[in-house]
Amino acid sequence: MPLPPSPRTRSGVRRRSLIVSAAAAAALAGCSTGSDSAGTAGTPSVSMRARARAARDSRALLARYDAVLAVHPALAERLRPLRAEVAAHAAAFEEGSDPATASPTSTSPTATASASASLPAAGSSASPSAAASPAVPADAQAALAVLATAERTLADQRAKALLDVPGELARLLAGVAAAGAGHAYLLTKGDK
């Protein structure tokens, strides 16, 4: 459900938000959660691990959004639509992952705040400063910049990971990576 625009918000930001949201929805709607028919004997476990990792990363990003919203409630109108998409991404990845390796998605701030907020995932090649602390800066613009960096880092990871997974999961990763890049843009350029 779209929120009414703020009197300070320019119409350009709203159009970009709608375009990013529509692209993400199309990507999620076009991807099934069933297993790919083409693949080797090891492919299902690779897919399950990739889905579980993507779900875990989405939950960690969701926890970052919740932390920023807890510290900066004035940003709620701007962040809630993006947070809702991140929650949908986590749910989409969890649908096809191994239930033993993925925990259920919760969209409540209390449950997601306790989730690991470190991005990127352990073992990745991203800089340590990006995952050093889940602390939220006191300045709202700095907090948005931290979220944008997390979105951009995760989008880049997913763009690289889609090369190693089969069809449907690759398409899902590509769509979610594109949505993450759009979120990063909206978080950094939305007020300009």
Side-chain angles (χ1 to χ4, degrees), residues 74-126:
L75 295 174
E77 182 179 338
R78 183 173 181 180
L79 296 182
R80 279 199 182 117
L82 302 177
R83 185 199 176 280
E85 285 187 14
V86 172
H89 299 161
F93 286 122
E94 287 174 342
E95 279 183 33
S97 66
D98 182 8
T101 60
S103 65
T105 298
S106 173
T107 57
S108 72
T110 306
T112 55
S114 64
S116 168
S118 64
L119 279 179
S124 72
S125 60

Short mmCIF file of all heavy atoms in Angstrom, two decimals, residues 74-126:
data_model
loop_
_atom_site.label_atom_id
_atom_site.label_comp_id
_atom_site.label_asym_id
_atom_site.label_seq_id
_atom_site.Cartn_x
_atom_site.Cartn_y
_atom_site.Cartn_z
N ALA A 74 11.87 9.24 12.07
CA ALA A 74 11.44 10.22 11.07
C ALA A 74 11.66 9.72 9.65
O ALA A 74 11.05 10.22 8.71
CB ALA A 74 12.19 11.54 11.28
N LEU A 75 12.50 8.70 9.46
CA LEU A 75 12.76 8.15 8.14
C LEU A 75 11.77 7.05 7.76
O LEU A 75 11.89 6.46 6.69
CB LEU A 75 14.20 7.58 8.08
CG LEU A 75 15.33 8.58 8.23
CD1 LEU A 75 16.68 7.84 8.30
CD2 LEU A 75 15.32 9.58 7.10
N ALA A 76 10.82 6.78 8.61
CA ALA A 76 9.91 5.65 8.40
C ALA A 76 9.18 5.73 7.07
O ALA A 76 9.08 4.73 6.35
CB ALA A 76 8.91 5.55 9.55
N GLU A 77 8.66 6.87 6.71
CA GLU A 77 7.91 7.00 5.47
C GLU A 77 8.78 6.65 4.27
O GLU A 77 8.33 6.00 3.32
CB GLU A 77 7.36 8.42 5.33
CG GLU A 77 6.53 8.62 4.09
CD GLU A 77 5.97 10.03 3.99
OE1 GLU A 77 5.85 10.72 5.01
OE2 GLU A 77 5.65 10.42 2.86
N ARG A 78 10.01 7.04 4.32
CA ARG A 78 10.93 6.79 3.21
C ARG A 78 11.42 5.35 3.18
O ARG A 78 11.62 4.77 2.11
CB ARG A 78 12.12 7.75 3.35
CG ARG A 78 13.10 7.65 2.24
CD ARG A 78 14.14 8.72 2.37
NE ARG A 78 15.09 8.66 1.27
CZ ARG A 78 16.10 9.47 1.15
NH1 ARG A 78 16.28 10.44 2.02
NH2 ARG A 78 16.91 9.35 0.14
N LEU A 79 11.64 4.74 4.34
CA LEU A 79 12.26 3.42 4.40
C LEU A 79 11.28 2.25 4.38
O LEU A 79 11.66 1.15 3.97
CB LEU A 79 13.15 3.32 5.64
CG LEU A 79 14.35 4.25 5.68
CD1 LEU A 79 15.16 4.01 6.94
CD2 LEU A 79 15.22 4.10 4.44
N ARG A 80 10.08 2.44 4.82
CA ARG A 80 9.15 1.31 4.91
C ARG A 80 8.92 0.59 3.59
O ARG A 80 8.90 -0.64 3.56
CB ARG A 80 7.83 1.74 5.54
CG ARG A 80 7.94 1.79 7.04
CD ARG A 80 6.58 1.77 7.73
NE ARG A 80 6.81 1.87 9.16
CZ ARG A 80 6.40 2.87 9.91
NH1 ARG A 80 5.71 3.86 9.39
NH2 ARG A 80 6.66 2.87 11.20
N PRO A 81 8.73 1.29 2.46
CA PRO A 81 8.54 0.54 1.20
C PRO A 81 9.77 -0.28 0.82
O PRO A 81 9.65 -1.41 0.34
CB PRO A 81 8.27 1.64 0.17
CG PRO A 81 7.88 2.84 0.95
CD PRO A 81 8.53 2.72 2.28
N LEU A 82 10.96 0.27 1.05
CA LEU A 82 12.19 -0.46 0.73
C LEU A 82 12.35 -1.65 1.66
O LEU A 82 12.72 -2.75 1.23
CB LEU A 82 13.40 0.47 0.84
CG LEU A 82 13.38 1.71 -0.06
CD1 LEU A 82 14.60 2.58 0.20
CD2 LEU A 82 13.27 1.32 -1.51
N ARG A 83 12.05 -1.45 2.95
CA ARG A 83 12.14 -2.53 3.92
C ARG A 83 11.16 -3.66 3.56
O ARG A 83 11.49 -4.84 3.68
CB ARG A 83 11.82 -2.01 5.33
CG ARG A 83 12.01 -3.06 6.41
CD ARG A 83 11.27 -2.69 7.69
NE ARG A 83 11.40 -3.75 8.65
CZ ARG A 83 10.66 -4.87 8.64
NH1 ARG A 83 9.75 -5.07 7.71
NH2 ARG A 83 10.84 -5.80 9.56
N ALA A 84 9.97 -3.29 3.13
CA ALA A 84 8.97 -4.30 2.74
C ALA A 84 9.48 -5.14 1.57
O ALA A 84 9.26 -6.36 1.53
CB ALA A 84 7.66 -3.63 2.39
N GLU A 85 10.15 -4.52 0.63
CA GLU A 85 10.71 -5.28 -0.50
C GLU A 85 11.82 -6.21 -0.03
O GLU A 85 11.91 -7.34 -0.50
CB GLU A 85 11.23 -4.33 -1.57
CG GLU A 85 10.13 -3.70 -2.37
CD GLU A 85 10.63 -2.89 -3.55
OE1 GLU A 85 11.82 -3.02 -3.91
OE2 GLU A 85 9.83 -2.13 -4.10
N VAL A 86 12.66 -5.75 0.89
CA VAL A 86 13.72 -6.61 1.42
C VAL A 86 13.10 -7.82 2.13
O VAL A 86 13.58 -8.95 1.99
CB VAL A 86 14.67 -5.82 2.36
CG1 VAL A 86 15.65 -6.75 3.07
CG2 VAL A 86 15.43 -4.76 1.56
N ALA A 87 12.02 -7.61 2.87
CA ALA A 87 11.32 -8.72 3.53
C ALA A 87 10.77 -9.69 2.49
O ALA A 87 10.84 -10.92 2.67
CB ALA A 87 10.20 -8.19 4.43
N ALA A 88 10.23 -9.17 1.39
CA ALA A 88 9.72 -10.03 0.32
C ALA A 88 10.86 -10.82 -0.33
O ALA A 88 10.68 -11.99 -0.68
CB ALA A 88 8.98 -9.20 -0.73
N HIS A 89 12.01 -10.20 -0.47
CA HIS A 89 13.17 -10.90 -1.04
C HIS A 89 13.57 -12.06 -0.13
O HIS A 89 13.83 -13.18 -0.61
CB HIS A 89 14.36 -9.95 -1.21
CG HIS A 89 14.10 -8.82 -2.14
ND1 HIS A 89 14.87 -7.68 -2.14
CD2 HIS A 89 13.15 -8.62 -3.08
CE1 HIS A 89 14.41 -6.84 -3.05
NE2 HIS A 89 13.37 -7.39 -3.64
N ALA A 90 13.63 -11.81 1.17
CA ALA A 90 14.00 -12.88 2.11
C ALA A 90 13.00 -14.03 2.00
O ALA A 90 13.40 -15.20 1.96
CB ALA A 90 14.05 -12.34 3.54
N ALA A 91 11.73 -13.71 1.94
CA ALA A 91 10.69 -14.75 1.83
C ALA A 91 10.83 -15.52 0.53
O ALA A 91 10.69 -16.76 0.51
CB ALA A 91 9.31 -14.12 1.92
N ALA A 92 11.13 -14.84 -0.56
CA ALA A 92 11.29 -15.52 -1.85
C ALA A 92 12.47 -16.49 -1.82
O ALA A 92 12.39 -17.60 -2.34
CB ALA A 92 11.47 -14.50 -2.96
N PHE A 93 13.56 -16.09 -1.20
CA PHE A 93 14.71 -16.98 -1.11
C PHE A 93 14.45 -18.14 -0.17
O PHE A 93 14.90 -19.25 -0.40
CB PHE A 93 15.97 -16.21 -0.66
CG PHE A 93 16.55 -15.34 -1.72
CD1 PHE A 93 16.71 -13.98 -1.51
CD2 PHE A 93 16.94 -15.86 -2.94
CE1 PHE A 93 17.25 -13.17 -2.48
CE2 PHE A 93 17.48 -15.05 -3.92
CZ PHE A 93 17.64 -13.70 -3.69
N GLU A 94 13.72 -17.89 0.91
CA GLU A 94 13.46 -18.95 1.88
C GLU A 94 12.48 -19.99 1.35
O GLU A 94 12.52 -21.13 1.79
CB GLU A 94 12.93 -18.35 3.18
CG GLU A 94 14.03 -17.65 3.94
CD GLU A 94 13.55 -16.90 5.16
OE1 GLU A 94 12.34 -16.63 5.26
OE2 GLU A 94 14.39 -16.58 5.99
N GLU A 95 11.62 -19.64 0.42
CA GLU A 95 10.64 -20.59 -0.12
C GLU A 95 11.30 -21.83 -0.70
O GLU A 95 10.78 -22.92 -0.56
CB GLU A 95 9.79 -19.93 -1.20
CG GLU A 95 8.67 -19.10 -0.65
CD GLU A 95 7.80 -18.53 -1.75
OE1 GLU A 95 7.64 -19.18 -2.79
OE2 GLU A 95 7.31 -17.41 -1.56
N GLY A 96 12.41 -21.69 -1.35
CA GLY A 96 13.04 -22.83 -1.98
C GLY A 96 14.28 -23.33 -1.29
O GLY A 96 14.96 -24.21 -1.79
N SER A 97 14.61 -22.77 -0.11
CA SER A 97 15.82 -23.20 0.57
C SER A 97 15.53 -24.37 1.49
O SER A 97 14.39 -24.68 1.80
CB SER A 97 16.44 -22.04 1.36
OG SER A 97 15.59 -21.66 2.41
N ASP A 98 16.57 -25.01 1.93
CA ASP A 98 16.46 -26.15 2.84
C ASP A 98 15.96 -25.66 4.19
O ASP A 98 16.56 -24.77 4.79
CB ASP A 98 17.84 -26.80 2.99
CG ASP A 98 17.84 -28.02 3.89
OD1 ASP A 98 16.74 -28.47 4.28
OD2 ASP A 98 18.94 -28.52 4.18
N PRO A 99 14.84 -26.17 4.69
CA PRO A 99 14.30 -25.70 5.96
C PRO A 99 15.26 -25.86 7.13
O PRO A 99 15.18 -25.13 8.10
CB PRO A 99 13.05 -26.57 6.19
CG PRO A 99 12.79 -27.29 4.92
CD PRO A 99 14.04 -27.22 4.10
N ALA A 100 16.20 -26.78 7.04
CA ALA A 100 17.15 -26.97 8.13
C ALA A 100 18.19 -25.86 8.18
O ALA A 100 18.76 -25.58 9.23
CB ALA A 100 17.86 -28.32 7.98
N THR A 101 18.44 -25.19 7.05
CA THR A 101 19.47 -24.15 7.03
C THR A 101 18.92 -22.75 7.04
O THR A 101 19.66 -21.80 7.23
CB THR A 101 20.37 -24.30 5.78
OG1 THR A 101 19.54 -24.17 4.61
CG2 THR A 101 21.11 -25.60 5.78
N ALA A 102 17.64 -22.57 6.82
CA ALA A 102 17.05 -21.23 6.80
C ALA A 102 16.04 -21.10 7.93
O ALA A 102 15.21 -21.97 8.12
CB ALA A 102 16.35 -20.98 5.47
N SER A 103 16.13 -20.00 8.65
CA SER A 103 15.15 -19.77 9.70
C SER A 103 13.99 -19.00 9.10
O SER A 103 14.13 -18.34 8.09
CB SER A 103 15.79 -18.99 10.85
OG SER A 103 16.17 -17.71 10.42
N PRO A 104 12.82 -19.06 9.72
CA PRO A 104 11.65 -18.39 9.16
C PRO A 104 11.85 -16.88 9.11
O PRO A 104 12.49 -16.31 9.97
CB PRO A 104 10.51 -18.77 10.11
CG PRO A 104 11.13 -19.41 11.28
CD PRO A 104 12.53 -19.76 10.95
N THR A 105 11.25 -16.26 8.12
CA THR A 105 11.31 -14.82 7.99
C THR A 105 10.29 -14.20 8.91
O THR A 105 9.16 -14.65 8.99
CB THR A 105 10.98 -14.39 6.55
OG1 THR A 105 11.96 -14.94 5.70
CG2 THR A 105 10.97 -12.89 6.40
N SER A 106 10.69 -13.18 9.58
CA SER A 106 9.77 -12.42 10.40
C SER A 106 9.90 -10.97 10.02
O SER A 106 11.00 -10.47 9.87
CB SER A 106 10.13 -12.59 11.87
OG SER A 106 9.34 -11.73 12.65
N THR A 107 8.81 -10.30 9.85
CA THR A 107 8.86 -8.90 9.49
C THR A 107 8.68 -7.99 10.68
O THR A 107 8.59 -6.79 10.53
CB THR A 107 7.79 -8.57 8.42
OG1 THR A 107 6.52 -8.92 8.94
CG2 THR A 107 8.08 -9.29 7.13
N SER A 108 8.65 -8.56 11.88
CA SER A 108 8.52 -7.71 13.06
C SER A 108 9.89 -7.16 13.44
O SER A 108 10.88 -7.87 13.37
CB SER A 108 7.94 -8.48 14.24
OG SER A 108 8.88 -9.38 14.75
N PRO A 109 9.97 -5.89 13.84
CA PRO A 109 11.25 -5.31 14.20
C PRO A 109 11.92 -6.04 15.35
O PRO A 109 13.13 -6.15 15.38
CB PRO A 109 10.89 -3.87 14.61
CG PRO A 109 9.60 -3.59 13.93
CD PRO A 109 8.90 -4.92 13.85
N THR A 110 11.17 -6.57 16.29
CA THR A 110 11.76 -7.26 17.43
C THR A 110 12.50 -8.52 16.99
O THR A 110 13.63 -8.76 17.39
CB THR A 110 10.67 -7.64 18.45
OG1 THR A 110 9.94 -6.47 18.79
CG2 THR A 110 11.27 -8.26 19.68
N ALA A 111 11.87 -9.31 16.14
CA ALA A 111 12.50 -10.55 15.72
C ALA A 111 13.66 -10.31 14.78
O ALA A 111 14.68 -10.98 14.87
CB ALA A 111 11.46 -11.44 15.02
N THR A 112 13.56 -9.33 13.89
CA THR A 112 14.63 -9.12 12.94
C THR A 112 15.78 -8.34 13.55
O THR A 112 16.90 -8.42 13.07
CB THR A 112 14.12 -8.40 11.68
OG1 THR A 112 13.48 -7.20 12.08
CG2 THR A 112 13.19 -9.28 10.89
N ALA A 113 15.53 -7.57 14.59
CA ALA A 113 16.61 -6.83 15.22
C ALA A 113 17.60 -7.79 15.86
O ALA A 113 18.78 -7.47 15.99
CB ALA A 113 16.06 -5.86 16.26
N SER A 114 17.15 -8.97 16.25
CA SER A 114 18.06 -9.93 16.87
C SER A 114 18.85 -10.73 15.85
O SER A 114 19.77 -11.43 16.19
CB SER A 114 17.28 -10.87 17.78
OG SER A 114 16.40 -11.64 17.00
N ALA A 115 18.48 -10.61 14.58
CA ALA A 115 19.20 -11.32 13.53
C ALA A 115 20.57 -10.70 13.34
O ALA A 115 20.81 -9.55 13.66
CB ALA A 115 18.42 -11.24 12.21
N SER A 116 21.46 -11.47 12.80
CA SER A 116 22.80 -10.96 12.53
C SER A 116 22.73 -9.82 11.54
O SER A 116 22.13 -9.94 10.49
CB SER A 116 23.67 -12.08 11.95
OG SER A 116 24.86 -11.55 11.44
N ALA A 117 23.35 -8.71 11.88
CA ALA A 117 23.29 -7.54 11.01
C ALA A 117 24.59 -7.32 10.27
O ALA A 117 24.86 -6.25 9.79
CB ALA A 117 22.95 -6.31 11.85
N SER A 118 25.43 -8.32 10.20
CA SER A 118 26.70 -8.13 9.51
C SER A 118 26.53 -8.42 8.03
O SER A 118 26.06 -9.47 7.65
CB SER A 118 27.78 -9.02 10.11
OG SER A 118 27.45 -10.36 9.91
N LEU A 119 26.89 -7.47 7.22
CA LEU A 119 26.92 -7.62 5.77
C LEU A 119 28.32 -7.28 5.35
O LEU A 119 28.90 -6.36 5.89
CB LEU A 119 25.94 -6.68 5.08
CG LEU A 119 24.51 -7.12 5.03
CD1 LEU A 119 23.69 -6.04 4.32
CD2 LEU A 119 24.32 -8.41 4.32
N PRO A 120 28.85 -7.88 4.46
CA PRO A 120 28.40 -9.03 3.73
C PRO A 120 28.56 -10.32 4.51
O PRO A 120 29.11 -10.31 5.60
CB PRO A 120 29.29 -9.03 2.48
CG PRO A 120 30.52 -8.34 2.92
CD PRO A 120 30.10 -7.34 3.98
N ALA A 121 28.15 -11.42 3.93
CA ALA A 121 28.22 -12.71 4.60
C ALA A 121 29.66 -13.10 4.86
O ALA A 121 30.57 -12.70 4.16
CB ALA A 121 27.53 -13.78 3.75
N ALA A 122 29.84 -13.92 5.88
CA ALA A 122 31.18 -14.37 6.23
C ALA A 122 31.82 -15.09 5.05
O ALA A 122 31.17 -15.82 4.33
CB ALA A 122 31.11 -15.30 7.43
N GLY A 123 33.10 -14.84 4.87
CA GLY A 123 33.81 -15.50 3.78
C GLY A 123 33.78 -14.72 2.49
O GLY A 123 34.36 -15.13 1.51
N SER A 124 33.14 -13.57 2.45
CA SER A 124 33.11 -12.80 1.22
C SER A 124 34.34 -11.92 1.15
O SER A 124 35.05 -11.72 2.12
CB SER A 124 31.84 -11.97 1.14
OG SER A 124 31.92 -10.91 2.05
N SER A 125 34.55 -11.35 -0.01
CA SER A 125 35.76 -10.56 -0.21
C SER A 125 35.51 -9.07 -0.02
O SER A 125 36.35 -8.26 -0.36
CB SER A 125 36.28 -10.81 -1.63
OG SER A 125 35.30 -10.42 -2.56
N ALA A 126 34.38 -8.67 0.51
CA ALA A 126 34.09 -7.26 0.71
C ALA A 126 34.94 -6.70 1.84
O ALA A 126 35.47 -7.43 2.67
CB ALA A 126 32.62 -7.06 1.04
#
